[in-house]
Amino acid sequence: MAGKFQFVMRSGPTVGAIYPLEAESISIGRDASNSIQINDAEISRRHARLQFQGGKYVIEDVGSTNGTHVNGQRVMSPYVLRPGDVVSFGEGIVLGYEAADQDPAATLAVSRPPVQARQPVAPPPAQAYAGQVPAGPLPIGRKTNPLPIVIGVGALLFVCACFSFFLWVDYARMWCTFFPFIDGCP
């Protein structure tokens, strides 16, 4: 059985939710087949994976769109989690990694001088939750094709040039010079 650790959601769709980490391998993502399902637009269908190795959990991003961050740094390779670490998925989902087996009434014996505590990294500012995300694919933004714009501008320039030419011909009274086939031209 894996160690007694848990994730606590600090920011996201269900603030305060506790996710006990009890399996050897845990998948995290938006899809219902994941061990930990977080239904939010910031989360990929398959976002990250936890592996229990040597009494510790190791987190790894599995090619997510918005990335996995630990203490503000993007996870580019497997990372060993320590209690107190802050894990972020995208910008709005923040989970605290905690040891779940500590007895709050227990007395701690320290045989060595205390290690200087790490400065906690402040989570990104909370964003308003936009609601549930459909399980289907998300629409991808359309790219604008410049060809119709170029054709439209070209046509407009051509019409303006023709209009200017006919105004010049009319002003100079040169109809018969440019158009000898008109009735009344010598």
Side-chain angles (χ1 to χ4, degrees):
M1 180 176 170
K4 296 190 180 209
F5 297 96
Q6 64 187 13
F7 274 140
V8 178
M9 186 170 287
R10 295 184 182 173
S11 175
T14 53
V15 174
I18 297 173
Y19 301 97
L21 307 177
E22 298 172 342
E24 297 291 323
S25 180
I26 299 171
S27 60
I28 302 169
R30 193 175 71 233
D31 193 73
S33 66
N34 289 292
S35 308
I36 296 177
Q37 180 189 11
I38 302 173
N39 194 3
D40 188 271
E42 298 261 334
I43 303 286
S44 295
R45 286 189 187 105
R46 297 228 178 261
H47 199 101
R49 175 178 46 235
L50 290 172
Q51 292 289 111
F52 193 70
Q53 300 173 356
K56 300 176 182 177
Y57 274 103
V58 177
I59 192 165
E60 180 179 13
D61 189 272
V62 291
S64 66
T65 303
N66 293 323
T68 300
H69 298 77
V70 176
N71 299 327
Q73 298 295 315
R74 188 166 186 147
V75 174
M76 302 305 282
S77 60
Y79 181 89
V80 178
L81 291 173
R82 295 176 297 228
D85 282 343
V86 176
V87 179
S88 304
F89 302 109
E91 294 180 15
I93 309 300
V94 179
L95 302 174
Y97 178 73
E98 302 174 354
D101 60 352
Q102 293 178 350
D103 181 5
T107 303
L108 297 176
V110 178
S111 61
R112 57 188 156 98
V115 178
Q116 186 176 5
R118 292 183 293 160
Q119 293 293 328
V121 176
Q127 297 177 343
Y129 181 60
Q132 297 294 318
V133 177
L138 295 175
I140 298 174
R142 290 181 44 197
K143 300 208 179 212
T144 304
N145 184 359
L147 186 61
I149 294 170
V150 170
I151 291 173
V153 169
L156 181 63
L157 288 174
F158 177 74
V159 169
C160 288
C162 290
F163 182 74
S164 298
F165 173 75
F166 285 116
L167 278 178
W168 177 70
V169 167
D170 190 46
Y171 179 76
R173 308 251 183 240
M174 300 170 70
W175 286 104
C176 290
T177 304
F178 289 101
F179 305 103
F181 53 88
I182 295 178
D183 288 338
C185 287

